[in-house]
Amino acid sequence: MKMSRILALLLALMLALSAVAFAEDATEAPAAEATEAPAADEAAEAEADPVIAEFGDVQIRVSDALPQFESYYQMMSGYGFDMSAYAPYIKQQVLLSLVQQEIEKQKTEELGFNELTEEEQAEAVQDAADRYNEMFNYYLESFTYNGAADPEAETTAYLEKYGYTPESTLAKAKQSMATNKMVDSVTADLVVTDEDLKAYYDEAVAEDQQAYEDNYAAYEQDRSEVSEDDVIAWNPEGYRRVRQVLIALDSDGKSRYSALSTELDNIRNGEESARTEEEVQAEIDQLFAPLYETASEVRAKFDEGAAIDDLIAEYGSDPGMTTEPGLTEGYYVCANSQIWDPAFVEAAMSVDAIGQLSEPKAGSYGLYMVYYLADVTPGAVPYEDVRDVLDPQCQTAAKRAAYYDQLDAWSEELGVQFYLDKFVTSYDN
């Protein structure tokens, strides 16, 4: 089941917030006597860095939440979201995440889940080291590429700004392991019924129909990335599955064809040119001539009964045809396709019958010879066809929902108070 771009990003955001805390542990500020006015410096601190959530001995201040908020604010801004609309949502989720993390710390300790075995300790140490090194190397490459004077020092400082150190990463790995054990305990008796799974399927169908009905590009992109553990539960009209023998231009040939195509389009649009349309087309024909000779071999072997898989292996240059999902599923194409080279679409739609191969069509990557693999039945994918894949997804979703219900119950039990109106940042100006 795939989601629309916005919903997918927001879900990823929430899951990330639940899994990783950028802020340091919240600590309680000294409590003032009821009959005494707070000291001047304490009052100034409270005004500059107000408490935005609290329960028991825990207080979470703006400074605890700000690094996380800034990180996701910048990420979503980079995706082009209108942050005047989404900033309040990010604040709410950041604050909720920090509160949940504090509740998890208390409850895992109270219930004994943070008592790790030697094996679990070793696993947490290795996991933390892998996570930190992966993140460090990622940003190190960026700082190095951008010419930082001391890339390693700047990488370390950048990660520390957001609360990432080897020590904090290890602490989070241990807490994550303890939390996972608690989740397993809380949801141990959870039972997902057939009715639950069918309802999950119906939701997947409705969601995918909304996402893809008028969005060819989203459907095709998701189809090109879907894994065996995922499902697209609804298909638009007019699609077929195809495979191709790509007889590719080399890199110089691709660049030359791009330039010639632009020149040809300009001439056809009435722009002045030193050459005629016929002269440019003749150079294009010359560029593709060796490829057409290869295409003739492919056609001859296909007509003699060669299997499309064998022809792809012998002549093809498209890596998407030798890896999943293209290896098994092929590409999903319709007359209105958006993500494919128009020449490829034209070749794909030119074939009249399943099991036939198109004539070669020149395009940006070379010559496309497209095999008509199968039709795609429009509408909802039958429940039985996707049940086995949706089942573990439904189990995970139900487990997550049950656990968050428990977190909500603990939050109410602990008397958590939120002061979202005090969560004011420089981005609000």
Side-chain angles (χ1 to χ4, degrees):
M1 174 172 51
K2 292 285 184 177
M3 297 186 178
S4 67
R5 183 182 178 88
I6 291 178
L7 289 177
L9 182 57
L10 293 182
L11 177 59
L13 170 62
M14 286 188 288
L15 294 178
L17 293 176
S18 298
V20 181
F22 288 84
E24 296 294 333
D25 292 346
T27 56
E28 179 190 12
E33 294 293 334
T35 57
E36 295 179 358
D41 57 345
E42 291 178 348
E45 178 186 359
E47 182 178 353
D49 189 17
V51 173
I52 53 179
E54 62 182 344
F55 64 93
D57 295 333
V58 174
Q59 290 185 330
I60 298 174
R61 297 180 178 273
V62 170
S63 58
D64 299 315
L66 192 57
Q68 203 171 14
F69 170 79
E70 288 180 339
S71 176
Y72 286 101
Y73 187 102
Q74 292 167 10
M75 178 190 72
M76 293 183 70
S77 295
Y79 278 104
F81 285 95
D82 176 7
M83 297 314 296
S84 63
Y86 284 103
Y89 172 84
I90 298 177
K91 287 182 181 180
Q92 182 179 15
Q93 293 303 317
V94 166
L95 188 54
L96 179 61
S97 172
L98 294 176
V99 168
Q100 288 174 341
Q101 289 160 20
E102 291 299 331
I103 293 174
E104 287 171 339
K105 288 178 185 177
Q106 287 196 8
K107 288 298 180 179
T108 51
E109 182 176 359
E110 175 186 321
L111 300 173
F113 292 110
N114 62 346
E115 297 174 5
L116 305 181
T117 65
E118 289 186 9
E119 182 179 351
E120 290 171 335
Q121 290 270 9
E123 183 180 341
V125 168
Q126 185 61 56
D127 181 59
D130 291 343
R131 288 176 180 271
Y132 184 81
N133 290 336
E134 180 180 4
M135 191 176 307
F136 186 91
N137 290 333
Y138 175 83
Y139 286 104
L140 177 63
E141 182 178 350
S142 177
F143 280 111
T144 301
Y145 177 80
N146 289 306
D150 189 342
E152 291 193 3
E154 293 196 34
T155 299
T156 300
Y158 181 81
L159 293 178
E160 287 179 351
K161 175 183 176 182
Y162 291 104
Y164 278 107
T165 65
E167 295 76 18
S168 69
T169 307
L170 177 57
K172 292 179 179 71
K174 290 180 177 180
Q175 180 59 51
S176 178
M177 185 168 289
T179 299
N180 287 339
K181 293 199 294 183
M182 184 166 67
V183 171
D184 290 340
S185 176
V186 167
T187 61
D189 298 327
L190 179 69
V191 175
V192 175
T193 67
D194 288 340
E195 290 75 14
D196 294 330
L197 184 54
K198 183 58 167 60
Y200 188 78
Y201 161 79
D202 290 340
E203 181 182 346
V205 170
E207 185 179 88
D208 285 351
Q209 181 174 1
Q210 182 179 16
Y212 302 137
E213 194 162 22
D214 298 310
N215 194 335
Y216 297 103
Y219 176 74
E220 291 161 14
Q221 190 63 50
D222 286 348
R223 273 295 181 191
S224 70
E225 297 171 351
V226 69
S227 72
E228 62 181 8
D229 297 323
D230 207 349
V231 162
I232 290 178
W234 184 89
N235 297 307
E237 294 273 356
Y239 273 88
R240 59 178 57 176
R241 290 165 48 206
V242 302
R243 303 197 73 210
Q244 74 156 330
V245 181
L246 171 63
I247 305 169
L249 291 165
D250 60 22
S251 58
D252 290 338
K254 292 173 188 175
S255 297
R256 185 57 188 154
Y257 177 68
S258 177
L260 289 169
S261 296
T262 300
E263 184 179 359
L264 193 60
D265 288 341
N266 291 340
I267 293 172
R268 289 171 176 171
N269 289 330
E271 297 185 19
E272 292 186 6
S273 174
R275 300 198 294 175
T276 66
E277 178 178 339
E278 291 72 19
E279 289 172 330
V280 177
Q281 185 61 56
E283 186 173 348
I284 292 175
D285 293 342
Q286 183 179 8
L287 179 66
F288 278 91
L291 277 63
Y292 276 106
E293 293 180 7
T294 303
S296 295
E297 295 180 25
V298 173
R299 169 56 64 186
K301 290 186 177 182
F302 180 80
D303 291 344
E304 291 169 1
I308 188 63
D309 288 348
D310 294 337
L311 294 173
I312 289 172
E314 183 175 359
Y315 294 99
S317 298
D318 179 4
M321 291 289 93
T322 57
T323 57
E324 296 296 356
L327 177 62
T328 302
E329 291 288 303
Y331 296 143
Y332 285 65
V333 184
C334 74
N336 296 313
S337 285
Q338 299 296 307
I339 73 169
W340 308 112
D341 183 347
F344 174 78
V345 175
E346 184 177 344
M349 302 308 293
S350 71
V351 188
D352 294 328
I354 293 173
Q356 294 301 307
L357 184 69
S358 78
E359 294 302 316
K361 180 67 178 177
S364 300
Y365 293 92
L367 289 182
Y368 307 116
M369 299 187 73
V370 184
Y371 178 79
Y372 190 172
L373 182 63
D375 286 318
V376 178
T377 303
V381 177
Y383 173 66
E384 292 302 327
D385 290 356
V386 295
R387 185 188 187 284
D388 290 344
V389 181
L390 289 180
D391 190 8
Q393 295 180 16
C394 183
Q395 297 277 353
T396 299
K399 187 174 182 178
R400 182 183 297 121
Y403 178 64
Y404 278 105
D405 285 345
Q406 180 62 73
L407 280 178
D408 288 342
W410 282 333
S411 177
E412 185 174 350
E413 172 189 310
L414 292 167
V416 177
Q417 298 294 315
F418 293 93
Y419 312 113
L420 196 59
D421 59 313
K422 295 182 179 180
F423 193 173
V424 179
T425 75
S426 60
Y427 295 90
D428 298 315
N429 297 331

